[in-house]
Amino acid sequence: METDKTIMQTLTYGDECIRYQVCHVPGRKAKVAIHVHPDGSVQVDAPQDADLVKIKEAVQKRARWVLDHMLRARELRRYVLPREYVSGESYFYQGRRHQLKVITIQEQKAQVRLYRGRLEVSTEDSSPERVRSLLKDWYRQRAKEYFAQRLESIVERTPWKDDVPQWRLLTMKKQWGSCSPNGTLSINPHLIKAPRECIDYVLTHELCHLQEHNHSPRFYRLLADRMPDWKSVKAKLDGMSELLLNE
């Protein structure tokens, strides 16, 4: 039975307790893969038939590496301050960090662009309020275009839906997406900051609600059929949510 419940495990390394989430990934044949997310959470992807004892042994062998990355993430989070919208801050786009560069221009149209790994905002008014507004509009436009493209592609492989359903962008504080009773999808524009597989996960999740309108076992079977590794992808998104939702 597929559910959204995850397996949480712990091990002790020195004076530290390492808590990690196990995701059994269908079709995975390689050894376990360990991920430490930006929020300091630990995810372990393992073959579907791997037992917890073997998985724990693998984590134990890399405990020093895991702890180092956990402590580094913990330290970085201490300095996550409210956005000031000035050059030097980092912003996510499709899972990658880009350093912000604010360029003051004269008598030209304001614009935002990705250029050589930087997120450049060119504007005559470089106040934080103006930069924030320009970034917000840029993210929304990118989200509108990319989500439309991905929805069309995913729907082509969705047996219960012949065309792209009605959808809209809706900024939400804690949710990535939702599906209304009449079948309209709402997608958080902040999702454009997430890795592409995470975007596909959210869109697929909401499309599955058009067939199964709750989180029943049938819903999770349907989701697993469309995206076998959804648990691993969801864990990755959960581990980045705090930073992605930070405007």
Side-chain angles (χ1 to χ4, degrees):
M1 178 184 297
E2 292 288 346
T3 71
D4 63 345
K5 294 181 180 178
T6 55
I7 304 172
M8 301 303 302
Q9 297 285 292
T10 60
L11 66 81
T12 301
Y13 184 80
D15 295 329
E16 292 282 344
C17 177
I18 298 176
R19 190 166 185 264
Y20 58 96
Q21 176 178 330
V22 176
C23 295
H24 287 98
V25 181
R28 183 180 180 85
K29 297 179 181 180
K31 297 179 181 179
V32 302
I34 304 173
H35 313 278
V36 181
H37 297 303
D39 67 354
S41 62
V42 181
Q43 173 187 340
V44 181
D45 290 343
Q48 198 164 19
D49 59 353
D51 63 66
L52 295 178
V53 174
K54 294 293 184 181
I55 293 172
K56 188 169 187 176
E57 289 176 355
V59 178
Q60 185 75 55
K61 288 180 180 178
R62 300 194 66 192
R64 179 71 262 172
W65 179 90
V66 172
L67 183 58
D68 285 346
H69 282 71
M70 286 175 58
L71 295 176
R72 188 181 307 168
R74 192 180 301 169
E75 187 68 16
L76 287 173
R77 288 179 68 199
R78 289 176 56 192
Y79 299 100
V80 177
L81 303 174
R83 295 288 192 186
E84 295 182 358
Y85 300 95
V86 296
S87 294
E89 292 182 333
S90 65
Y91 290 77
F92 281 95
Y93 177 69
Q94 292 194 3
R96 295 185 177 182
R97 288 180 186 266
H98 299 275
Q99 190 176 70
L100 176 66
K101 184 173 179 60
V102 179
I103 303 171
T104 303
I105 57 175
Q106 299 295 328
E107 299 179 355
Q108 297 179 44
K109 184 179 180 180
Q111 69 168 350
V112 180
R113 67 170 184 167
L114 284 175
Y115 182 70
R116 294 184 177 179
R118 295 196 304 263
L119 185 55
E120 292 188 351
V121 177
S122 300
T123 173
E124 186 173 359
D125 176 7
S126 59
S127 67
E129 293 78 14
R130 177 58 172 161
V131 174
R132 179 182 183 275
S133 177
L134 289 169
L135 283 172
K136 181 179 179 181
D137 290 345
W138 182 83
Y139 273 122
R140 288 187 69 89
Q141 185 59 35
R142 289 297 184 102
K144 183 178 180 181
E145 294 171 359
Y146 188 70
F147 296 167
Q149 172 191 330
R150 294 309 303 150
L151 277 168
E152 184 174 353
S153 177
I154 296 170
V155 166
E156 287 179 356
R157 305 187 302 273
T158 303
W160 60 89
K161 192 66 182 172
D162 294 327
D163 52 10
V164 175
Q166 288 190 335
W167 68 282
R168 61 174 181 161
L169 294 176
L170 179 65
T171 301
M172 296 172 272
K173 291 184 177 181
K174 295 184 178 181
Q175 286 180 272
W176 291 116
S178 65
C179 179
S180 71
N182 69 2
T184 299
L185 308 186
S186 296
I187 309 297
N188 195 328
H190 287 300
L191 182 64
I192 194 62
K193 302 173 186 178
R196 294 179 180 182
E197 65 268 26
C198 296
I199 295 173
D200 278 3
Y201 158 70
V202 173
L203 298 180
T204 301
H205 182 111
E206 299 310 328
L207 286 170
C208 285
H209 277 309
L210 297 177
Q211 181 74 1
E212 297 291 339
H213 300 282
N214 50 40
H215 288 111
S216 64
R218 285 187 303 180
F219 169 83
Y220 288 110
R221 285 196 294 270
L222 184 64
L223 178 58
D225 179 65
R226 308 319 302 168
M227 187 177 231
D229 62 342
W230 72 269
K231 290 184 182 180
S232 174
V233 179
K234 178 181 182 298
K236 182 176 185 177
L237 180 59
D238 290 344
M240 302 182 71
S241 293
E242 182 179 3
L243 292 179
L244 299 183
L245 292 170
N246 177 28
E247 291 192 68

